[in-house]
Amino acid sequence: MKLKDLKDKEKLYTIIFESDTPLGKKFDVVLIIAIFVSIVFAFLESVRTLPLILRRILEVGNFILTALFTLEYIARVYCSPDRKKYILSFFGVIDLLAILPPYLFVVFPTARYMLLLRSFRFIRIFRIFRLFSFINEGFLMMQALRKSLHKIAVYFMFVLILVTCLGTLMYIVESGQPNTKFTNIGSSVYWAIVTMTTVGYGDITPVTAVGRLLSAFVMLLGYTIIAIPTGIVSANFIDVTNKKAENGRCPRCGEKIRKGDRYCSHCGEKL
């Protein structure tokens, strides 16, 4: 690669990926505005009573914005030092998902509304305006969720088995009644899920005394177990927050720190 091309690539990388320079910050601000406009267009386009001429204008506007976002994604891949790392990163996946829905419109007409995934790109606003404390808190939350994943998976399996058993039991109690809505086990399990989560649509209700008693039990049971995931995540969040620097490395990014440092020089984490 020629030296001039290399310099142009580095300059493009600075503008697109860095917000410390005036051009980089302007680029990110324009990008955020474009994302906001595209989301507003998607909301308006979903209104069925909209005049046809206005709907066509919105469709053209979304097409133009999608083309710009596509060029932006290609530019990010082009100037990225490690293209594979960017493509597989969180922002890389979101950037790709943000441009795919309009292209899937030909096969799946309603898929274009998935472009609302572009709202995830607003996360960049924390980096643009240097709201690093919010980024750190978000990182801690992600760490807590990651540590809680296995416990929550076990809890989910337990709840799934529980609602299946309760739904089956309600089917046994109610299925023999005239005009019953508990016509099969699937509908009964659906009732158990709706009741245990305290949503209570009321589209399926028991008519027998035993069924109502079981329904009351399921409601109370829902209140007792629905807070368990919150407790699991909260406990892990406290553990992650109180984690101290070990072996001369930052508890957040794992980079080396100097003795006596109050903040990590790499990620800004308070030590």
Side-chain angles (χ1 to χ4, degrees):
M1 185 179 289
K2 295 181 181 179
L3 183 61
K4 183 178 182 300
D5 294 337
L6 189 62
K7 288 183 177 179
D8 290 341
K9 188 175 180 181
E10 289 177 353
K11 185 177 180 181
L12 184 63
Y13 174 85
T14 302
I15 294 173
I16 293 178
F17 283 94
E18 303 292 340
S19 58
D20 297 332
T21 61
L23 281 177
K25 189 168 184 178
K26 287 178 182 178
F27 175 84
D28 284 341
V29 170
V30 171
L31 178 63
I32 293 295
I33 294 172
I35 293 168
F36 178 76
V37 170
S38 70
I39 291 173
V40 172
F41 280 7
F43 271 98
L44 293 175
E45 194 178 338
S46 66
V47 179
R48 298 185 183 275
T49 57
L50 212 62
L52 183 62
I53 181 71
L54 187 55
R55 185 181 294 275
R56 291 289 177 263
I57 292 173
L58 292 173
E59 288 176 356
V60 172
N62 262 326
F63 176 78
I64 294 172
L65 288 169
T66 299
L68 292 175
F69 289 139
T70 303
L71 291 175
E72 179 227 347
Y73 178 76
I74 294 171
R76 286 182 183 275
V77 174
Y78 166 73
C79 68
S80 178
D82 190 339
R83 294 176 181 176
K84 184 178 179 181
K85 184 178 179 181
Y86 163 70
I87 292 172
L88 298 178
S89 67
F90 173 77
F91 280 115
V93 172
I94 291 298
D95 291 343
L96 179 61
L97 292 176
I99 63 174
L100 282 181
Y103 296 113
L104 297 175
F105 170 72
V106 179
V107 182
F108 305 104
T110 56
R112 67 180 185 274
Y113 296 117
M114 288 182 63
L115 59 81
L116 293 176
L117 288 169
R118 290 172 184 171
S119 58
F120 278 101
R121 305 188 74 190
F122 279 122
I123 296 174
R124 284 191 171 93
I125 200 169
F126 295 114
R127 180 171 63 87
I128 298 170
F129 296 105
R130 300 178 177 276
L131 303 176
F132 294 115
S133 60
F134 290 92
I135 296 176
N136 286 345
E137 294 301 322
F139 178 83
L140 292 175
M141 180 60 72
M142 289 300 297
Q143 274 193 320
L145 289 172
R146 195 178 297 114
K147 289 184 66 176
S148 307
L149 186 61
H150 293 90
K151 295 177 183 177
I152 292 177
V154 173
Y155 167 81
F156 177 78
M157 286 298 299
F158 167 74
V159 172
L160 189 61
I161 294 170
L162 186 60
V163 294
T164 302
C165 293
L166 291 171
T168 304
L169 183 59
M170 182 61 85
Y171 174 71
I172 294 171
V173 173
E174 293 284 325
S175 60
Q177 301 302 314
N179 300 322
T180 180
K181 294 184 179 180
F182 292 89
T183 54
N184 54 67
I185 294 178
S187 298
S188 302
V189 171
Y190 160 77
W191 164 87
I193 294 171
V194 170
T195 305
M196 183 173 289
T197 54
T198 68
V199 175
Y201 289 128
D203 53 342
I204 302 178
T205 55
V207 294
T208 65
V210 177
R212 289 173 180 174
L213 183 63
L214 180 58
S215 181
F217 171 75
V218 174
M219 292 177 197
L220 294 174
L221 184 63
Y223 276 112
T224 58
I225 69 173
I226 202 168
I228 291 177
T230 305
I232 293 172
V233 175
S234 298
N236 283 313
F237 185 76
I238 292 171
D239 291 341
V240 170
T241 304
N242 294 334
K243 189 176 180 181
K244 304 296 182 182
E246 296 177 356
N247 302 322
R249 292 187 177 275
C250 172
R252 178 194 170 191
C253 64
E255 296 290 340
K256 289 184 178 180
I257 54 176
R258 296 185 299 269
K259 186 177 180 180
D261 283 354
R262 297 179 60 189
Y263 296 89
C264 175
S265 58
H266 301 277
C267 66
E269 176 73 4
K270 187 176 180 180
L271 305 173

